[in-house]
Amino acid sequence: MRLIIHRTGKPYPVKHYVNMLIVILFTALVLDFLISYASISIVKQQSGRSLRDTADLYINRINHDFAYINHYMGWSLANDQIIETMDENASGSAEFLKSNTQLHQRFTELQRNYGQAYQFFIYLKNKDFFLNCAPISIGYPDYLELKRQIISYSEDKDVYDKFYSRWTPVLVRNKYYIVNIVPYHDRYLICLISADELIRPLQSIDMGKNGTVSLVDEQGINISTPIRVDETRALDTARPSPFGLAHSRAAVTSRFSDASFSVQMIARYGTFEKIMIAQLVIILLALMIAIVLCIVMLYFNKRVLRPIQSFSDTLARWNEESAALDFKNSKIIELEQASQQFKHLIGQIRRFKIDMYEQELEKQRIQLDYMKLQINPHFFLNCLTSMYSMAQMQMYGEIERMAMSTTQYFRYIFQNGQNFVRLQDEIEHVRIYLDIQRHRYRNAFAYHISQDAETGDIRIPPLVLQTFIENAVKYAVSRVTEANITLSVSRVMPDNLAKITISDSGPGFPPDILEQLMHGGPLNSENGNRIGMMNTIQRLELLYKGQASVSFSNREGGGAEVTMTLPVSPPEAID
């Protein structure tokens, strides 16, 4: 590296630097205003997102409780001998009274598990018998009014469609309750919970001085403790405006599944106005700094700006092979030290780029492992619930088979750490899963698996078939008609491809979902639905690098169909 004596050219006037500073400061002021505006928006969005996350956590728990209670009441009506005995004997007989006591004990235990707020009743229409089957906390006038309404609902021919698996608000003596009615022939099991009791956990959240949490029905009417009149008017008359971010209100509405009401959360904070004042102070401070800098610029023009310009010109030629650094004419020692630090910084930047690249590869590997090892906790809970129900009915043989199938199912998932497994092992895993579901749904569906003889040793990504089989069981199986699920595997020659088709006799894909799947569009997974399907498509893309394909369609006779075409010899797995 040869030494170059850098001679300073024509100096710029101080006015030039002042003008540059004014332009920079004006730009900074504009950016500061935009950042202030954006910060208020972000804070408000984060507040709303926090409220939505809190509501979603609570709603998911309530949805799980609702689903289990509904399933338990439906199973009890259809399979419990206690209710059968009560319906067959006179209401004053010893058998009837004994069965009623047993039923009361069973639902009392259920009430202990889910809280005293849940109240259970039984109505035998043929005997005109209506009574609570667990301790109740409502007054006797409310009990009589509830009894009258339940009896009137039972006369409605559409009671199954209106109330079964659909938790609905009802008004009992100027107080709203959430009710679920499970009908079976002329027998009815009813679960009741006060709207105020249901929303009480969320009402403990700090929503600000004037914030509220309430339950609203499909028409937007409050069914829990009403909010204030001024709050109702604020919601009705609020209109979007350019200054809407200054309003210190965040509203979130989240809907329960299998229910006709939602949670409405309105937070009112005074911090938005404080943020605005703080941002104005920052802008004024920037103006004062700009004036001070203009004054200081006059003094530092000769002693600082020119040496810095020299330093900058030298750095501009840093990549030139013949370039050299020369700060001998500079009276600023710090600039000479900065040259050495700059060289060291270049080396650090290069090492940092390498580290970032390695971290990105590690991130992709972890993300792929996560997608491969997803486990649905609801399936595990449902298996335990089914074995518990079998134990109540003393179905010991069924319990043994169910426990062994569940063990084999989860052993396969936990022990599978490879990117590719034998197709035969994957099909056997699917068979075990379908057998477990048949135990749960009581022969509500049938399945058929067929494969060519030479396809057993083909290696495919683990749990790929499982994702689409679970989707078929979830949407095709019902207790109304028997569903059919088919899995077929064949080898396509001479392309040396494996063709895997999964079909069912259910309702098929909804038109909007099918349109997105056929065109490769992203699916909306905010509520936790279709996450497995999207992850599976991403896994196939990562592992096969575009050589695999997945197509979706609805069958002419009804039902959904998924066809996967995979290379028989997959590429090397991603480590």
Side-chain angles (χ1 to χ4, degrees), residues 324-360:
L325 291 178
D326 178 24
F327 296 104
K328 292 183 178 180
N329 292 334
S330 174
K331 297 181 180 180
I332 303 177
I333 300 177
E334 288 78 6
L335 291 180
E336 296 179 359
Q337 297 175 349
S339 174
Q340 301 299 324
Q341 294 175 357
F342 181 78
K343 295 178 182 179
H344 180 65
L345 179 61
I346 292 296
Q348 289 183 333
I349 291 176
R350 291 172 180 171
R351 290 193 298 271
F352 179 76
K353 289 182 178 179
I354 296 175
D355 293 339
M356 288 294 292
Y357 179 76
E358 293 176 350
Q359 291 177 5
E360 185 64 22

Side-chain angles (χ1 to χ4, degrees), residues 265-513:
M265 306 177 69
I266 303 173
R268 279 189 170 272
Y269 305 109
T271 56
F272 294 123
E273 292 84 356
K274 296 178 181 178
I275 292 175
M276 181 64 73
I277 295 175
Q279 295 297 335
L280 292 176
V281 172
I282 292 174
I283 294 175
L284 294 177
L285 182 61
L287 287 174
M288 294 178 61
I289 294 175
I291 297 173
V292 173
L293 287 178
C294 289
I295 297 174
V296 173
M297 190 68 180
L298 296 174
Y299 178 77
F300 280 89
N301 177 51
K302 180 178 180 180
R303 294 186 176 274
V304 177
L305 293 181
R306 291 180 181 178
I308 289 178
Q309 182 63 44
S310 176
F311 178 77
S312 177
D313 293 339
T314 304
L315 295 182
R317 298 193 304 274
W318 176 259
N319 292 327
E320 298 178 6
E321 295 181 356
S322 59
L325 291 178
D326 178 24
F327 296 104
K328 292 183 178 180
N329 292 334
S330 174
K331 297 181 180 180
I332 303 177
I333 300 177
E334 288 78 6
L335 291 180
E336 296 179 359
Q337 297 175 349
S339 174
Q340 301 299 324
Q341 294 175 357
F342 181 78
K343 295 178 182 179
H344 180 65
L345 179 61
I346 292 296
Q348 289 183 333
I349 291 176
R350 291 172 180 171
R351 290 193 298 271
F352 179 76
K353 289 182 178 179
I354 296 175
D355 293 339
M356 288 294 292
Y357 179 76
E358 293 176 350
Q359 291 177 5
E360 185 64 22
L361 292 179
E362 179 68 11
K363 179 181 178 182
Q364 292 181 1
R365 186 191 67 79
I366 294 174
Q367 183 178 9
L368 179 60
D369 291 340
Y370 169 75
M371 290 189 294
K372 288 167 48 181
L373 299 177
Q374 282 195 70
I375 300 175
N376 188 352
H378 296 292
F379 176 75
F380 179 69
L381 296 177
N382 290 334
C383 291
L384 296 180
T385 301
S386 298
M387 287 188 283
Y388 174 77
S389 301
M390 294 175 186
Q392 289 184 322
M393 296 183 291
Q394 300 181 356
M395 300 169 62
Y396 303 118
E398 294 290 334
I399 293 175
E400 292 179 355
R401 290 190 289 273
M402 184 70 171
M404 180 57 66
S405 298
T406 304
T407 301
Q408 294 174 344
Y409 176 87
F410 284 100
R411 181 181 291 116
Y412 179 84
I413 292 179
F414 292 137
Q415 293 182 355
N416 186 7
Q418 302 175 354
N419 287 314
F420 295 92
V421 297
R422 293 178 64 249
L423 178 59
Q424 189 63 41
D425 296 337
E426 185 73 2
I427 291 178
E428 184 61 27
H429 177 66
V430 168
R431 195 188 307 276
I432 292 173
Y433 170 79
L434 291 173
D435 288 338
I436 292 174
Q437 295 292 26
R438 281 173 60 85
H439 285 300
R440 289 187 55 221
Y441 288 102
R442 299 284 183 176
N443 299 323
F445 71 97
Y447 70 90
H448 177 71
I449 299 177
S450 63
Q451 64 178 122
D452 293 346
E454 65 274 17
T455 60
D457 292 329
I458 296 175
R459 301 185 70 81
I460 67 171
L463 305 179
V464 169
L465 303 184
Q466 177 72 19
T467 299
F468 298 106
I469 289 293
E470 286 181 358
N471 190 72
V473 172
K474 180 177 180 180
Y475 294 101
V477 176
S478 66
R479 301 188 184 275
V480 179
T481 59
E482 183 181 20
N484 291 298
I485 299 175
T486 303
L487 168 62
S488 63
V489 182
S490 60
R491 193 161 181 171
V492 181
M493 301 300 290
D495 298 331
N496 204 23
L497 299 174
K499 181 179 180 182
I500 304 173
T501 303
I502 301 172
S503 61
D504 59 67
S505 60
F509 293 109
D512 55 336
I513 299 300

Side-chain angles (χ1 to χ4, degrees), residues 86 91 96 100 119-133 136 138 140 142-154 179 181 188-192:
M86 294 177 63
S91 58
F96 182 93
N100 186 32
Q119 304 171 65
F120 302 91
F121 303 86
I122 185 172
Y123 175 52
L124 302 178
K125 188 174 182 180
N126 292 336
K127 299 180 179 300
D128 194 22
F129 178 81
F130 183 92
L131 190 66
N132 60 295
C133 49
I136 60 175
I138 63 175
Y140 187 70
D142 292 345
Y143 170 83
L144 294 179
E145 176 62 19
L146 174 65
K147 175 180 178 181
R148 184 192 64 79
Q149 292 192 27
I150 295 300
I151 294 175
S152 65
Y153 294 149
S154 66
V179 66
I181 302 175
Y188 302 85
L189 277 176
I190 303 97
C191 180
L192 183 78

Side-chain angles (χ1 to χ4, degrees), residues 219-235:
Q219 288 74 36
I221 301 175
N222 287 283
I223 60 176
S224 58
T225 301
I227 59 177
R228 289 173 291 278
V229 176
D230 56 339
E231 290 291 334
T232 304
R233 187 181 299 112
L235 287 176

Side-chain angles (χ1 to χ4, degrees), residues 2-8 317 324-329:
R2 60 190 180 88
L3 183 63
I4 295 179
I5 305 298
H6 182 78
R7 300 184 181 276
T8 305
R317 298 193 304 274
L325 291 178
D326 178 24
F327 296 104
K328 292 183 178 180
N329 292 334

